[in-house]
Amino acid sequence: MPHLIWTVTWRDDAAFPDVFRALATPVPMLIADGLPAEVGLLLPNRNSQAAELALAEVVGRLTEPGVVLGLFLANPFLRIGPLVAACRAAGIDWVANLPSVSQQEPEFAQQLEDVGLDLGGELKRLDALRSAGLRIAAVATDAAGACRVAEMGAECLIVLPRVSDFAVGFPSSRQRGAAIQDIRAALSETAWHGPILGLGDETEASHPGLWPEGVDGLLVRPRAANSGA
C-alpha cells in the first residue's frame, strides 16, 4: 500500500529517547503540482475503515523505528475497536490525528461540524485510542488547541500551519515559529512539559539553526514511500 513518510529530526536525541522517529499517513487521492500534501490529505479521500486497517499493517512492517500512524480521526465511520486491534497486531504504539480538522479555517471548520466532520469528534476518537493504551501525538495549530490536547493526555504536540498559510507557498520559518512561541507561552501556564514538533523541509532538517524558534524537533515534509504491499 503506498503511503507518505514524514521523518522526524530531534534537536537532542538524548532528551527524548522514548519517542518516535517517523510518521506515516495515506497518500492523498489528489496529487498535483502546487498542492502541498499537508493540504491534499484534507481533501475527500478513500480512507475507509479497510484502508485504515491496511495502513496499520503496512506501518507495522516498516523498517523505521518508532513509526506513528497518522489518521483522519474526524471520520465519523471509524470504528475504534478494530483499529486498536490492528495497531496492537502490527506493534504500533503511537497514533496521531494527522491530518486534522484543526488545520482548516474556523469558518470552514464550522461547515464541517454541521455534517459531522468536527474537531470534537476527532479528539474524542483520539482520546479513545489513548484510553485503549496507545500513545498520542496530537496536532495543534494554535494555543487554544494545544492546551486542549495537552490536557487530554497527548505526549507530543505537532504544530502544523493552517491551510490558508500555504496560499503563497510553504510558510516561512518566522511564521511557523510565531505560532509555536504562542503555544509554548500558553503551555507554560500548564503542567504539560512534552516535546513540540514543528513542520519543516529537508533543507532545514540538516541545519537546526534554520528551525522555527521554540521547537524540540522537526517533522519533515513527507515523501512518497511504497512498502511493496
Side-chain angles (χ1 to χ4, degrees):
M1 178 182 180
H3 55 282
L4 297 178
I5 286 291
W6 314 55
T7 57
V8 176
T9 301
W10 295 98
R11 191 180 297 278
D12 182 358
D13 283 321
F16 305 106
D18 190 30
V19 289
F20 49 89
R21 295 291 180 269
L23 185 146
T25 62
V27 172
M29 280 291 286
L30 178 60
I31 300 176
D33 291 341
L35 178 66
E38 297 89 342
V39 176
L41 281 170
L42 288 163
L43 297 175
N45 209 318
R46 58 173 174 268
N47 291 347
S48 64
Q49 182 82 34
E52 305 286 17
L53 300 184
L55 180 62
E57 181 182 355
V58 168
V59 170
R61 295 201 304 268
L62 294 178
T63 57
E64 293 92 338
V67 179
V68 182
L69 182 64
L71 300 168
F72 181 63
L73 295 178
N75 176 4
F77 304 107
L78 191 66
R79 293 186 295 152
I80 296 299
L83 180 58
V84 170
C87 288
R88 287 175 174 164
I92 296 170
D93 297 322
W94 286 87
V95 292
N97 57 326
L98 198 162
S100 171
V101 174
S102 65
Q103 295 170 248
Q104 302 285 7
E105 294 305 307
E107 296 79 7
F108 186 55
Q110 180 60 57
Q111 296 178 42
L112 292 175
E113 183 175 352
D114 293 341
V115 294
L117 296 172
D118 60 294
L119 181 60
E122 175 183 314
L123 297 184
K124 181 179 179 180
R125 296 178 191 96
L126 188 67
D127 190 46
L129 293 169
R130 183 197 61 79
S131 297
L134 295 174
R135 304 178 69 180
I136 299 302
V139 169
T141 57
D142 57 27
C147 290
R148 186 175 179 181
V149 293
E151 183 179 2
M152 193 181 71
E155 294 186 53
C156 175
L157 290 183
I158 300 172
V159 181
L160 293 184
R162 293 187 186 274
V163 169
S164 61
D165 294 335
F166 290 90
V168 293
F170 188 55
S172 68
S173 177
R174 182 175 182 179
Q175 182 179 359
R176 287 173 280 139
I180 290 165
Q181 290 173 53
D182 286 345
I183 287 172
R184 277 215 174 272
L187 290 174
S188 68
E189 303 296 323
T190 73
W192 192 85
H193 299 291
I196 295 178
L197 285 173
L199 185 66
D201 59 28
E202 290 187 0
T203 299
E204 292 173 319
S206 56
H207 298 88
L210 300 177
W211 293 7
E213 187 175 346
V215 297
D216 297 301
L218 206 67
L219 179 68
V220 181
R221 303 186 74 190
R223 57 179 171 81
N226 195 313
S227 65

